[in-house]
Amino acid sequence: MPQTVSLTYAGAVYDRTRALYEGTIQPEGIELRYLKTGIEELFWRQGRYMEYDTAEFSFGAYLAGVEDPDRPFHAIPVFPSRAFRHSALYVRDDSGISEPEQLNGRAVGTPEWSMTASLWMRGILGEHYGVDLESIRWRTGGLEEPGRQEKSRVKPPGRLSVEPVHERTSLTEQLLAGGVDAVLTARPPRAFLAGDPRIRRLFPDVRSAEERYFRDTGIVPIMHTVVLRREVIARHPWVANNLRHAFELARRPAVPELRDTAVCSTSLVWESAYAEQEAALLGDAFAYGLEANQAALSAILRYAADQGFTSSVLDVSDIFLPQTLTDAKI
């Protein structure tokens, strides 16, 4: 029987990755152990301790270290998580902030400078809403728990004011107490979810704002990529493409299953109607590879350079394994 390479992959489980998790799809020549892992824990363990052979990983944190010649990971152009992030901006109800440009000169908290949702929205605010990022007092720290630290060695440029909040307080506490005027966070504050009237979203009609952004740009922002440890690639360079192909095979049935009216594959009764609407507007929203993602990659690489993740605007060939950027043609 042919020998296989045993790899441990850690990540969330989505409809587009479930076949890999359940083992109904296995990458050719690879025995994949898929460990279902919470996002914050996953990124911390992989970013700080490199615990997994391959993993879903924060795109922002990856970009923050991509120019390091000794970086521990290589990425492949697989993007298991994407999301619009206009919903990620929360303000205190009495802040007087009702428009994005009113963030100018204010204090805005974010859990980590390298958080991909924050990277995207800072770029979007500056490029599309006239927000002066240099005028904002940026504050970092745990959303609900004090003491959160960066998972990467990102260094914001000196022209931007970025400081941690007090080690004994959280961003939600700071928002409610008036220490910051807004919070930019992928995960909603618990107080907001509990209905606390003191916190509201900056964009009251999130869906409309995000649809306008897509119509203007054609971008569904990329949140996460897939990384492999350098030593794995050094020993078995072929695993990168075999893993990439397996992720593609796993994602293909996801949207057709959502659009199947025979049964509901989720707990959304009108899931097929939602899926039809999204497909009509967004097309193949979770497409992998470079061709379908040129606009998104161009934007995030510009934002990364502007916000200190990289020293200059990088090319896609600088951030992904070269052998995963092209396919054979017949």
Side-chain angles (χ1 to χ4, degrees):
M1 186 172 181
Q3 291 290 319
T4 59
V5 174
S6 180
L7 296 180
T8 298
Y9 172 84
V13 176
Y14 311 101
D15 58 356
R16 50 201 171 273
T17 63
R18 186 169 299 280
L20 289 169
Y21 176 66
E22 295 175 345
T24 55
I25 288 177
Q26 281 284 342
E28 181 71 21
I30 299 171
E31 179 190 355
L32 193 68
R33 295 190 299 270
Y34 193 132
L35 303 181
K36 182 180 179 181
T37 313
I39 291 300
E40 286 88 354
E41 179 183 0
L42 164 61
F43 292 172
W44 178 258
R45 291 169 64 175
Q46 187 71 343
R48 284 298 182 102
Y49 306 112
M50 298 171 286
E51 293 188 12
Y52 311 106
D53 299 312
T54 176
E56 180 180 355
F57 197 61
S58 160
F59 202 10
Y62 175 71
L63 289 174
V66 75
E67 290 179 293
D68 184 348
D70 297 320
R71 70 184 189 270
F73 311 124
H74 291 295
I76 62 177
V78 169
F79 312 114
S81 177
R82 310 177 76 128
F84 295 104
R85 292 304 189 187
H86 289 68
S87 63
L89 269 165
Y90 301 85
V91 298
R92 200 175 56 259
D93 191 54
D94 64 358
S95 65
I97 299 173
S98 58
E99 300 293 336
E101 59 267 27
Q102 292 174 321
L103 293 170
N104 289 336
R106 301 296 192 107
V108 179
T110 191
E112 295 181 34
W113 188 255
S114 63
M115 177 180 279
T116 314
S118 187
L119 165 62
W120 270 108
M121 274 313 297
R122 289 190 301 261
I124 290 169
L125 288 169
E127 184 173 16
H128 297 276
Y129 291 96
V131 174
D132 180 4
L133 303 185
E134 296 184 23
S135 76
I136 292 174
R137 302 185 305 280
W138 298 98
R139 299 295 178 259
T140 61
L143 178 64
E144 308 292 352
E145 300 174 272
R148 181 164 174 169
Q149 300 176 24
E150 294 281 349
K151 68 180 71 68
S152 69
R153 292 175 289 179
V154 64
K155 292 183 179 179
R159 58 185 172 77
L160 296 175
S161 173
V162 185
E163 296 179 3
V165 295
H166 192 279
E167 62 181 10
R168 296 180 181 176
T169 189
S170 71
L171 292 180
T172 299
E173 290 171 338
Q174 285 285 297
L175 181 62
L176 292 174
V180 298
D181 302 292
V183 170
L184 175 51
T185 170
R187 195 175 293 279
R190 292 173 189 160
F192 175 82
L193 293 176
D196 192 319
R198 295 174 292 174
I199 303 177
R200 57 178 167 83
R201 282 196 167 107
L202 174 58
F203 292 92
D205 187 349
V206 168
R207 177 70 176 266
S208 293
E210 293 174 345
E211 285 189 5
R212 283 195 301 273
Y213 170 75
F214 177 79
R215 293 182 192 280
D216 289 343
T217 66
I219 292 172
V220 181
I222 295 167
M223 295 295 123
H224 305 162
T225 189
V226 170
V227 297
L228 296 96
R229 293 178 61 166
R230 288 181 63 177
E231 56 263 37
V232 171
I233 297 301
R235 291 197 307 269
H236 310 289
W238 54 269
V239 305
N241 267 321
N242 286 22
L243 193 62
R244 177 172 69 99
H245 294 155
F247 270 94
E248 177 63 29
L249 287 174
R251 83 171 188 93
R252 287 180 183 174
V255 172
E257 287 176 2
L258 288 175
R259 298 173 71 175
D260 184 356
T261 58
V263 296
C264 291
S265 59
T266 71
S267 296
L268 295 173
V269 173
W270 289 310
E271 68 174 12
S272 60
Y274 296 143
E276 292 284 354
Q277 291 171 3
E278 284 206 4
L281 176 62
L282 306 178
D284 190 357
F286 282 90
Y288 300 152
L290 300 189
E291 186 174 351
N293 291 288
Q294 291 179 356
L297 291 169
S298 175
I300 196 171
L301 291 176
R302 284 188 284 106
Y303 298 159
D306 183 61
Q307 297 175 35
F309 288 67
T310 59
S311 62
S312 62
V313 180
L314 301 182
D315 187 79
V316 291
S317 61
D318 299 318
I319 61 174
F320 298 115
L321 278 165
Q323 65 263 40
T324 64
L325 300 182
T326 60
D327 288 297
K329 304 292 185 183
I330 297 176

